[in-house]
């Protein structure tokens, strides 16, 4: 039996004759996990949130909640609550009344409201702030009030539309940990929208990477970072060195004029591919030991590592993250293991990609 709380089946959203904001999108959201919708502005991630919340209607396709179709269910009848980017708090109400607002709409008894608001504020570490005015709260505190207002109604899903974007870097990092811990304590489903890939990697159980109304890839942060399906995902998630190459045969790939051992197989002989090597997987070494020979163009100190930009003889740029320093103008070697090479097939769907990875695992098990 599926554990899905939300299902999209071939959902399209289009305004008038404009290009589709979402184009036949299908996915499942499992109960009790932290999901992130990640992508650039205009990719469709906020539209998905609005469709789940009932703020807009799908042009085509069906949306299910706990197995029941909800296309025509109004927003106030859905078991979801939304935390908006600007928090949408009532400035004329204090903290207690902001959190209690939804309960008063339901005409709940005062004693029950008192208890529920107290519990919600305790969850977000705002006990004792009941009478505080919203204008007296910091950005992080306002966000916690908005979350308390969302959870006090005991929704099955909380939707968060870029709620950290207005915070400074330090507070934003702190709130990432707080949100993740809060989701674990509540045990309910969080769906979080962001265009910040580091935020998505740090917080999520699963990530959906969107571009131009299509889910390019979904999976755990580690899966998506280590095994991007295409150039867009590789470039959007983390920093990448991407070059064109050719799959000579199983376990052997050619790029930048050389042939290198890799761990990929199951592609066609001499098939054109894209090659990805992450900057942290490149090791600075001697020219003789290096699989690539490059000249250092620039170097920046990033605190935990140096970010070094290099160019090979063909003009390809190679970004290196290393604890070793390099002098601008030096010729150095770059070494990488076969496992550091990730081969991406042109036009491969996520289903085909998953089958290829399963075939690798099955082959490895058979060899053992």
């Amino acid at each position: 039996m599926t554990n899905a709380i939300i299902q999209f089946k071939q959902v399209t959203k289009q305004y008038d004759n404009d290009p589709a904001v979402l184009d036949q999108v299908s996915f499942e959201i499992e109960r009790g996990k932290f999901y992130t919708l990640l992508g650039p502005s205009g990719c469709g991630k906020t539209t998905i949130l609005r469709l789940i919340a009932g703020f807009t209607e799908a042009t085509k396709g069906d949306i299910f909640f706990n197995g029941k179709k909800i296309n025509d269910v109004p927003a106030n009848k859905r078991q979801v609550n939304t935390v908006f980017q600007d928090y949408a708090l009532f400035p004329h109400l204090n903290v207690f009344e902001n959190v209690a607002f939804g309960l008063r709409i339901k005409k709940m008894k005062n004693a029950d409201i008192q208890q529920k608001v107290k519990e919600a504020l305790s969850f977000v570490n705002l006990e004792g702030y009941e009478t505080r005015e919203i204008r007296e709260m910091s950005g992080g505190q306002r966000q916690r009030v908005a979350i308390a207002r969302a959870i006090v109604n005991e929704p099955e899903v909380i939707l968060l539309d870029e709620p950290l974007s207005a915070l400074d870097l330090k507070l934003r990092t702190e709130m990432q940990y707080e949100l993740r811990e809060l989701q674990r304590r509540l045990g309910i489903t969080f769906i979080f929208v962001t265009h910040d890939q580091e935020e998505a990697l740090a917080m999520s159980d699963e990530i959906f990477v969107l571009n131009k109304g299509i889910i390019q890839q979904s999976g755990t942060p580690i899966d998506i970072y280590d095994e991007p399906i295409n150039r867009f995902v590789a470039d959007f998630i983390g920093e990448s060195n991407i070059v064109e190459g050719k799959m000579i045969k199983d376990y052997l790939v050619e790029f930048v004029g050389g042939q290198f051992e890799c761990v990929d197989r199951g592609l066609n002989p001499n098939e054109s591919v894209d090659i990805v090597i992450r900057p942290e997987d490149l090791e600075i070494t001697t020219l003789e030991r290096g699989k690539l020979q490059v000249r250092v163009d620039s170097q920046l100190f990033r605190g935990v590592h140096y970010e070094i930009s290099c160019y090979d003889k063909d003009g390809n740029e190679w970004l290196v993250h290393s604890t070793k320093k390099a002098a601008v103008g030096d010729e150095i070697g770059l070494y990488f293991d076969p496992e550091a090479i990730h081969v991406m097939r042109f036009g491969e769907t996520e289903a085909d990609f998953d089958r290829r990875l399963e075939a690798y695992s099955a082959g490895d098990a058979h060899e053992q």
Side-chain angles (χ1 to χ4, degrees):
M1 190 172 75
T2 180
N3 193 35
I5 188 169
I6 294 170
Q7 292 172 294
F8 272 43
K9 294 187 176 180
Q10 298 292 303
V11 173
T12 294
K13 179 61 182 177
Q14 188 172 12
Y15 295 97
D16 299 324
N17 294 320
D18 293 340
V21 181
L22 290 178
D23 189 6
Q24 300 186 62
V25 169
S26 298
F27 62 82
E28 291 188 355
I29 298 286
E30 291 185 15
R31 193 180 309 277
K33 287 186 175 182
F34 195 116
Y35 285 86
T36 296
L37 307 178
L38 174 68
S41 297
C43 69
K45 54 189 186 295
T46 296
T47 301
I48 289 177
L49 229 58
R50 292 177 58 80
L51 286 165
I52 295 171
F55 299 148
T56 190
E57 296 180 6
T59 307
K60 296 178 183 176
D62 295 318
I63 303 170
F64 295 85
F65 194 98
N66 283 330
K68 295 180 180 179
K69 185 176 170 180
I70 61 168
N71 290 45
D72 299 323
V73 175
N76 64 340
K77 300 293 185 183
R78 301 191 184 193
Q79 287 295 304
V80 303
N81 271 89
T82 304
V83 177
F84 297 97
Q85 185 173 348
D86 60 0
Y87 312 143
L89 298 173
F90 300 111
H92 63 289
L93 300 179
N94 63 20
V95 169
F96 182 94
E97 291 301 330
N98 263 280
V99 177
F101 183 81
L103 304 180
R104 295 202 187 282
I105 293 293
K106 294 178 180 178
K107 302 188 183 305
M108 191 174 285
K109 293 179 180 178
N110 276 334
D112 293 335
I113 291 175
Q114 291 281 343
Q115 181 64 30
K116 285 186 172 293
V117 172
K118 182 180 178 181
E119 289 174 356
L121 290 175
S122 175
F123 255 118
V124 297
N125 297 318
L126 284 179
E127 288 178 294
Y129 286 80
E130 289 85 352
T131 60
R132 188 74 63 90
E133 298 296 323
I134 294 300
R135 66 176 179 273
E136 299 171 340
M137 308 289 280
S138 69
Q141 289 170 333
R142 291 182 189 188
Q143 191 209 52
R144 290 202 287 268
V145 174
I147 292 169
R149 187 176 62 182
I151 66 176
V152 77
N153 291 299
E154 300 180 358
E156 293 193 58
V157 176
I158 290 183
L159 310 174
L160 303 111
D161 189 5
E162 302 203 51
L164 306 183
S165 61
L167 305 179
D168 63 58
L169 181 60
K170 188 169 187 273
L171 182 56
R172 187 170 184 155
T173 303
E174 289 173 3
M175 292 307 300
Q176 288 173 12
Y177 288 108
E178 287 195 25
L179 268 181
R180 191 66 178 102
E181 182 57 31
L182 178 65
Q183 187 272 330
R184 289 192 176 113
R185 281 191 283 141
L186 289 170
I188 62 179
T189 306
F190 275 35
I191 305 176
F192 184 88
V193 161
T194 186
H195 59 269
D196 187 319
Q197 41 97 358
E198 290 185 5
E199 202 163 75
L201 292 171
M203 299 174 68
S204 314
D205 290 314
E206 292 198 31
I207 299 172
F208 293 165
V209 183
L210 288 100
N211 188 37
K212 297 180 180 177
I214 296 172
I215 295 177
Q216 300 289 316
Q217 187 171 1
S218 61
T220 68
I222 292 175
D223 287 344
I224 289 178
Y225 187 84
D226 288 345
E227 297 288 348
I229 191 172
N230 58 33
R231 184 180 280 260
F232 174 82
V233 176
D235 207 30
F236 197 80
I237 300 285
E239 294 182 280
S240 303
N241 296 294
I242 307 176
V243 294
E244 295 179 358
K246 183 190 295 183
M247 197 72 194
I248 302 301
K249 60 180 181 179
D250 285 352
Y251 310 115
L252 187 66
V253 68
E254 179 179 287
F255 58 93
V256 295
Q259 295 188 354
F260 306 95
E261 292 181 4
C262 64
V263 297
D264 290 88
R265 63 176 181 264
L267 287 83
N268 299 321
N270 297 315
E271 180 178 348
S272 295
V273 292
D274 273 333
I275 305 297
V276 177
I277 303 180
R278 296 290 188 183
E280 64 271 21
D281 291 330
L282 291 171
E283 175 193 345
I284 295 176
T285 187
T286 61
L287 286 169
E288 293 74 26
R289 180 171 175 264
K291 294 184 176 180
L292 299 173
Q293 288 72 41
V294 297
R295 183 183 295 273
V296 178
D297 182 67
S298 65
Q299 177 175 269
L300 296 173
F301 180 57
R302 294 294 190 186
V304 295
H305 64 257
Y306 292 96
E307 184 177 282
I308 304 164
S309 176
C310 314
Y311 287 87
D312 62 28
K313 60 181 175 57
D314 295 322
N316 298 298
E317 182 181 11
W318 295 91
L319 190 66
V320 183
H321 291 172
S322 175
T323 55
K324 293 181 180 179
K325 292 179 70 173
V328 173
D330 277 0
E331 291 188 356
I332 59 174
L334 298 179
Y335 181 83
F336 48 87
D337 292 321
E339 292 80 8
I341 300 172
H342 174 64
V343 177
M344 299 186 302
R345 197 173 213 167
F346 294 136
E348 189 168 44
T349 66
E350 188 170 15
D352 290 339
F353 179 71
D354 289 341
R355 280 192 287 270
R356 185 154 61 90
L357 291 187
E358 287 170 7
Y360 292 173
S361 300
D364 292 341
H366 180 72
E367 289 172 7
Q368 291 173 2

